[in-house]
Amino acid sequence: MRTDSLIPAQDAHGSDAFGQDHPSLDAAVFDDIQRVWGFDTLRPLQAEAIAAGIAGRDSLVVMPTGGGKSLCYQVPPLAAARAGDTRIDVCVSMTNEERDDVRRAVRAGEVRLLFVSPERLLAPGFDTWLGSVGVRAIAIDEAHCISQWGHDFRPEYRQLKQLRRMFPGVSLHACTATAAPPVRDDIVAQLELIDPLVLVGNFDRPNLIYRIEPRIDGRKQILGVLERHRGDAVIVYCMSRKETEAIAEYLSKEKFNAACYHAGMTSIQRSKVQERFTAEKLDIVVATVAFGMGIDR
C-alpha cells in the first residue's frame, strides 16, 4: 500500500460547509446531496471518498461509526446518472417475483444502487448477470470482515477476494469503521485494490465515555444510570433473549418507557420497536446485539 495515498483526518466529527473549497467535487454533486439526502455539510474525508468513487479509483475508507461511510458510496451512482429519481433496491431475501422485478429494473437502468449480501453476490450465476448489466463500481461495507483477522462471523466476506477476477474493469471501494494498519493492508491485498486512495478518519470520540464496573446488583446499577438520563435515548444490551424481556419488564414497572428487542420476535414486532425508538416515541430498548445497526438518533 502506498503511504502517499493515505490521507488522515484531523477531526472526523467536524463538518465542512458546502461553500468551502472542495476542488475534488463540482457544484452539481453538492446539489444532489442536498436534494436527495438533505445535508448542507460534508464530514471530513467524505468529499475525497465521493470523488474517488466518481473517478472510478479504488479506495479504502476507514471512518468511525457515524462518520458517514454510506454516503461515500451512495452519492457516486446518483452523480453519474444525474437523474431526477433514483431507485435503490435491496437484494437479500426476496421472492422469485420480487427478484425478477429488481432484475428487470436494473436492466432497464432504473436502479442506480443495488444492495446485495455477500452470499447473494457469490451465488452461482449472479456474477454473470451483474456483468451483463454493466456494473461500474462495487462497494464493500464492513470490509474488515474480508481480513484474515475478521472474517469468522461471515466467512463469505473472505471469498470477496474473487471480485477483481470476476469484475476486472470495475472499481472497488472498501468501507469499514474497524481496521488497524495490518487489517488495512490485508484488505488492500485481499481485494487486489489498484493504487487505492486510503482515507483514515480520526477515531477520537470526545462525546463518548467508557466505564467498566464490577457487576454487584445489575438491575440497581442500570437504574442508577437511567435515572441520570431519564428521557434520553438508551440501549441496554443483554446476553440472552430471556434477559432482554425480564429487564424490559422490570424497567417498565419502574416507570421507564422501555421495550425489548431480540431475534426471537417477529419481524413486525422488531420493526415496531425500532420505528418507535427512531421516532423518539420509545426511550429505552433492551436488546441483544441484533439491535443497533443503522439507528440514527
Side-chain angles (χ1 to χ4, degrees), residues 172-198:
L172 301 179
H173 308 275
C175 306
T176 181
T178 307
V183 177
R184 297 200 295 264
D185 292 343
D186 195 37
I187 292 171
V188 170
Q190 291 298 321
L191 290 177
E192 298 181 26
L193 300 184
I194 301 172
D195 187 28
L197 176 67
V198 180

Side-chain angles (χ1 to χ4, degrees):
M1 180 172 63
R2 287 174 43 182
T3 56
D4 62 348
S5 66
L6 190 148
I7 301 177
Q10 297 302 313
D11 179 6
H13 290 275
S15 60
D16 292 330
F18 282 177
Q20 294 181 356
D21 186 23
H22 282 296
S24 56
L25 296 177
D26 61 39
V29 175
F30 295 119
D31 290 341
D32 289 336
I33 295 171
Q34 289 177 314
R35 174 173 56 84
V36 178
W37 287 274
F39 295 141
D40 294 323
T41 60
L42 282 178
R43 294 182 178 182
L45 301 185
Q46 284 185 317
E48 293 88 343
I50 292 169
I54 294 174
R57 180 182 178 183
D58 288 359
S59 65
L60 170 59
V61 178
V62 185
M63 292 181 180
T65 300
K69 293 182 296 297
S70 62
L71 194 71
C72 297
Y73 60 76
Q74 289 178 7
V75 173
L78 178 60
R82 287 285 179 264
D85 296 306
T86 296
R87 174 171 170 178
I88 299 173
D89 275 288
V90 180
C91 189
V92 179
S93 178
M94 293 181 167
T95 65
N96 289 335
E97 183 177 348
E98 289 171 331
R99 282 196 293 270
D100 289 343
D101 176 63
V102 170
R103 292 195 177 203
R104 178 203 59 76
V106 170
R107 192 169 293 280
E110 299 171 5
V111 175
R112 307 306 310 176
L113 187 61
L114 180 68
F115 284 84
V116 301
S117 66
E119 293 82 0
R120 171 64 62 187
L121 181 61
L122 296 168
F126 194 80
D127 61 327
T128 302
W129 174 76
L130 270 184
S132 71
V133 298
V135 60
R136 297 181 181 179
I138 297 176
I140 303 101
D141 209 351
E142 307 297 344
H144 60 278
C145 294
I146 294 169
S147 170
Q148 60 180 309
W149 293 281
H151 71 281
D152 290 343
F153 178 60
R154 298 283 291 279
E156 288 78 12
Y157 266 92
R158 188 67 166 170
Q159 299 178 43
L160 293 180
K161 61 185 179 182
Q162 304 173 44
L163 286 173
R164 180 61 72 195
R165 175 186 57 79
M166 294 162 63
F167 304 98
V170 170
S171 63
L172 301 179
H173 308 275
C175 306
T176 181
T178 307
V183 177
R184 297 200 295 264
D185 292 343
D186 195 37
I187 292 171
V188 170
Q190 291 298 321
L191 290 177
E192 298 181 26
L193 300 184
I194 301 172
D195 187 28
L197 176 67
V198 180
L199 303 170
V200 181
N202 188 335
F203 288 78
D204 178 32
R205 303 290 295 275
N207 59 318
L208 297 184
I209 298 173
Y210 296 88
R211 288 196 181 97
I212 300 174
E213 299 180 3
R215 181 168 179 165
I216 300 172
D217 184 336
R219 293 190 176 188
K220 184 176 180 180
Q221 289 171 290
I222 291 173
L223 280 182
V225 174
L226 297 182
E227 287 291 355
R228 296 195 299 271
H229 297 279
R230 186 175 286 274
D232 291 343
V234 176
I235 304 175
V236 179
Y237 284 108
C238 300
M239 296 296 292
S240 69
R241 301 176 183 180
K242 182 177 180 181
E243 190 177 20
T244 67
E245 295 172 352
I247 295 296
E249 182 179 2
Y250 168 73
L251 294 178
S252 296
K253 290 180 179 179
E254 294 292 330
K255 309 302 181 184
F256 285 95
N257 183 13
C260 66
Y261 184 107
H262 57 71
M265 300 165 59
T266 67
S267 59
I268 294 177
Q269 290 173 324
R270 293 196 304 271
S271 295
K272 185 177 180 180
V273 171
Q274 181 164 325
E275 289 168 3
R276 289 176 59 209
F277 185 72
T278 302
E280 302 186 11
K281 296 179 180 179
L282 178 66
D283 294 331
I284 303 168
V285 175
V286 186
T288 59
V289 292
F291 183 81
M293 294 293 289
I295 299 297
D296 182 12
R297 180 174 176 185

